[in-house]
Amino acid sequence: MNVINAVIVQSLFIPLFLGATVASLLLAVAGGLRWGEPGATAMLAGCVLYVIGMFVCTAVVDVPLSNALATVDPASTEAAPLRARSLPDWTLWNHVRTIASTVACALFVGAIAVRSGDAAFIRPLEVVNSLELRHGWRHIVGNRH
């Protein structure tokens, strides 16, 4: 883990991580300036979710956990208990970051879809209704009798 922490700050990860956060904040500004237009709410919600769920969680939870692990020699007797205490928290917050990023991405894509007029992404029930009207419900799900 210590090697990963040392290498990651020298890789493309940091510019991409910070760049995605800045891009998200710019989308929030755009959503705020275009409040009331299609997709503005989704853009703003995606930004809030990304910044809090990914960036803040990383800065407030993941980085301190990684730093605490980095202070202990991996071969020492203190390393195993510290790792055992840290792993559940790191796993939980990694899941939070993953879900937040995925939902934020879906909101950004949804905002694009709404702005482009393709709201089928946002309103799946309309797609189902459309298919039902064109093909009949039994054609879609099959005859179950």
Side-chain angles (χ1 to χ4, degrees):
M1 184 88 164
N2 292 347
V3 173
I4 292 172
N5 291 338
V7 170
I8 204 162
V9 296
Q10 299 170 355
S11 70
L12 281 176
F13 172 79
I14 294 296
L16 292 173
F17 179 70
L18 295 175
T21 303
V22 170
S24 183
L25 291 170
L26 292 174
L27 286 172
V29 170
L33 292 174
R34 295 178 178 193
W35 192 252
E37 290 185 23
T41 304
M43 271 195 294
L44 194 56
C47 170
V48 168
L49 194 56
Y50 183 84
V51 170
I52 292 172
M54 176 55 127
F55 185 78
V56 172
C57 282
T58 299
V60 172
V61 178
D62 189 50
V63 170
L65 282 173
S66 296
N67 289 344
L69 288 170
T71 62
V72 177
D73 180 9
S76 72
T77 58
E78 301 151 4
L82 180 60
R83 184 173 295 279
R85 283 192 312 272
S86 299
L87 188 59
D89 288 341
W90 185 89
T91 302
L92 169 70
W93 288 103
N94 192 51
H95 283 80
V96 168
R97 294 182 313 156
T98 301
I99 292 167
S101 297
T102 303
V103 174
C105 181
L107 286 166
F108 291 143
V109 170
I112 292 168
V114 169
R115 290 189 63 77
S116 70
D118 182 11
F121 178 82
I122 301 299
R123 297 181 296 224
L125 289 178
E126 287 185 11
V127 174
V128 171
N129 289 337
S130 172
L131 289 172
E132 182 179 319
L133 292 174
R134 276 190 264 151
H135 302 292
W137 186 250
R138 290 179 194 250
H139 176 74
I140 296 169
V141 296
N143 192 350
R144 301 199 183 236
H145 292 116

